[in-house]
Amino acid sequence: MTTGTPLCDLVVQLCDEILSRRAVSEPLFAEAQEVVARLTTCHRLRIAVGGRQQDGKTTLVNALLRARLATGDGTEGARVVTRYFPSHTDQVTVRLLDGSSHEIRPGPRGGLPLSLEWPADKIKYVDVGFPGTTPCDGMLIDTPGLDRPDGSRKISLDACADADALLFVVNFEGQIDSEALRWLRRAAPFGLVGEVGAIGVVTGIQNLESRPETNPWPSARLRASVCRRQLGDLLLRVVPVLDLLAQTSLGADFTESDARALANLAAFGDRKAVLAALYDHDEFLTWESGPLDRATRHRLLDMLGIYGIHLCLDRVGAMASAHTVRQELRAASGIDELIREMESALLPQSDLLRASSALNRLLTAASQRENENGGMDEMWVFEAARRIENSPDFGRVRLLRALRELHDGRFHLKQADAEALRALVEGMTPAECLGEPRGTRGGALSAAAERETIRWRTLENTMVPPIRTYARIAWTICQTFIEGRPT
């Protein structure tokens, strides 16, 4: 049984070996069965969205789904892990802790209904299929808040640790939950969450400025830079997003009727009165002398917020269509930068991330040996996993991050060393990986591998942590190209 991807195939082969042995613990045997099913039946990258309550996780999820399918705080859906994926039709399946599954009726617009029909503490997770798309064609996993007091914190952390990749949401005014990220590292000690598969997202940036009409992006990028410095060892990149505008611009809720309401507001004769009403939410909602009724004002606030309304009045004018407004909102939201980041950073590493999270599950199970008949020695599983991680394909994909950090100025290499790193990552043959012509073989190939091994061993002795880490991976790869060594 194969997955069609080289690294996941290696993990499946390890699972087959586990399943063929009799003297393995029940948890490891069961985990191997689940991993095989996970890797061979679903090829989607599992991307979890984690963070604190009310930090914009659900709004961000809806934006990435291009539809309001996820339900926010105060609903039953906010207390459970929900997995969204493209499907031919709307479908909702509640999967319980007892192993049973139950299909229920989707919400009126698809997605989660208000009632899940079972208590949250009985639910393992909820699967939601919908006729749409997701970034990286992945499975997007919405999690409860990491700071919930009702036991959902562990559920959230476990879901994030079990995912292949992570979007970690930080509200601009919220505490940066570095403790939770480090807990994820401990919860997934054998995986790569935070090493190559975690992206930070700063939300709520429309509230950064004291004046609601002020462009928040300069402050937002500064805030993202601060987060990047504080969590640089845990997050691959930090991207700011106007989550509310992103949700509205990519969804279908904003209509021509809403565009006409904005046009009426823009055409209102007393500009000072409009600006005074747009001071904050309460002022706008209680502004009875303007051109919009209360229900319309409430709807615009729900979709745009105060900053979004200011933005529309300034940019689109009085004759804009709903399509034009959504285009302006999308451009202003920053969501495209996040999607590009996901597709450039996560998609090329999909095989690595899926294989790594699967290995994490196997090794976690192997480390929890049952003490029956004096215990079971499962160290061979760790040795087999180490061989997989030392394979050239595994190491080369991990070095993709090194190329990104080098490009971003996170560390510096001499030009010759930078070119050697790029060749090692992008080469199509062992010879090209070593900077040699494609046809190089035998002793010449071994000599080139020895030369590059020396290069990277020398760089490993530097005092710069990223270079030391990446150099160790690089020389390990180079050694596999030496003639006569097992690959």
Side-chain angles (χ1 to χ4, degrees), residues 148-419:
R148 291 185 68 95
D150 57 2
S152 298
R153 174 182 172 87
K154 185 179 186 306
I155 295 173
S156 296
L157 287 168
D158 288 347
C160 291
D162 186 51
D164 305 320
L166 173 67
L167 297 182
F168 194 78
V169 178
V170 180
N171 189 277
F172 86 98
E173 60 185 2
Q175 177 183 347
I176 297 175
D177 204 340
S178 57
E179 178 188 354
L181 275 171
R182 289 185 172 85
W183 193 97
L184 284 175
R185 276 276 183 88
R186 295 194 297 272
F190 312 108
L192 293 177
V193 170
E195 183 175 342
V196 294
I199 298 173
V201 184
V202 179
T203 58
I205 61 176
Q206 64 272 14
N207 301 317
L208 272 169
E209 303 295 341
S210 58
R211 296 176 61 87
E213 71 274 18
T214 303
N215 179 8
W217 276 101
S219 297
R221 297 204 180 280
L222 179 61
R223 175 64 171 166
S225 177
V226 171
C227 290
R228 183 70 176 89
R229 288 197 299 271
Q230 292 177 322
L231 303 174
D233 62 326
L234 298 168
L235 296 174
L236 179 64
R237 185 71 64 87
V238 179
V239 181
V241 172
L242 282 157
D243 48 296
L244 183 60
L245 301 193
Q247 175 181 258
T248 300
S249 67
L250 293 176
D253 289 345
F254 190 90
T255 65
E256 294 298 338
S257 177
D258 301 313
R260 286 193 296 272
L262 286 175
N264 291 337
L265 192 59
F268 189 67
D270 192 343
R271 182 68 172 178
K272 287 185 178 180
V274 173
L275 294 177
L278 288 173
Y279 176 75
D280 62 24
H281 282 66
D282 291 339
E283 288 288 341
F284 191 59
L285 280 178
T286 57
W287 184 41
E288 302 296 343
S289 60
L292 307 179
D293 60 47
R294 183 179 178 85
T296 301
R297 298 197 303 273
H298 190 280
R299 177 175 169 82
L300 290 179
L301 284 174
D302 180 60
M303 290 190 292
L304 304 173
I306 289 293
Y307 174 71
I309 296 174
H310 272 289
L311 182 75
C312 290
L313 296 182
D314 290 341
R315 291 196 183 182
V316 301
M319 299 299 292
S321 66
H323 176 71
T324 301
V325 173
R326 285 197 296 267
Q327 282 185 315
E328 288 291 338
L329 294 175
R330 180 171 181 171
S333 71
I335 191 65
D336 287 329
E337 181 182 350
L338 174 60
I339 293 173
R340 283 194 299 270
E341 186 67 29
M342 293 172 67
E343 293 181 343
S344 65
L346 302 182
L347 196 55
Q349 303 179 100
S350 178
D351 186 26
L352 169 71
L353 292 170
R354 295 177 66 237
S356 177
S357 63
L359 277 179
N360 176 66
R361 295 182 61 162
L362 290 174
L363 296 180
T364 300
S367 66
Q368 298 170 349
R369 305 174 209 162
E370 293 185 348
N371 292 319
E372 297 176 359
N373 301 321
M376 302 177 182
D377 184 4
E378 293 173 353
M379 290 304 297
W380 69 271
V381 178
F382 288 86
E383 293 168 2
R386 194 172 299 113
R387 287 195 298 272
I388 293 175
E389 291 176 339
N390 287 338
S391 68
D393 286 336
F394 207 100
R396 288 173 64 201
V397 179
R398 293 179 74 174
L399 288 180
L400 278 172
R401 176 168 184 171
L403 280 180
R404 290 174 60 85
E405 292 190 353
L406 181 65
H407 179 269
D408 293 343
R410 297 273 295 167
F411 65 89
H412 301 281
L413 292 175
K414 294 179 180 178
Q415 183 175 351
D417 296 330
E419 291 174 355

Side-chain angles (χ1 to χ4, degrees), residues 20-62:
S20 69
R21 298 196 178 201
R22 294 182 179 179
V24 296
S25 65
E26 288 185 12
L28 179 58
F29 190 90
E31 197 61 68
Q33 289 180 313
E34 286 196 22
V35 165
V36 170
R38 173 170 171 160
L39 294 181
T40 58
T41 62
C42 179
H43 299 280
R44 298 189 188 279
L45 190 67
R46 301 174 186 232
I47 307 170
V49 182
R52 293 174 177 266
Q53 293 182 88
Q54 299 180 330
D55 273 2
K57 297 189 311 301
T58 298
T59 308
L60 179 65
V61 167
N62 284 331

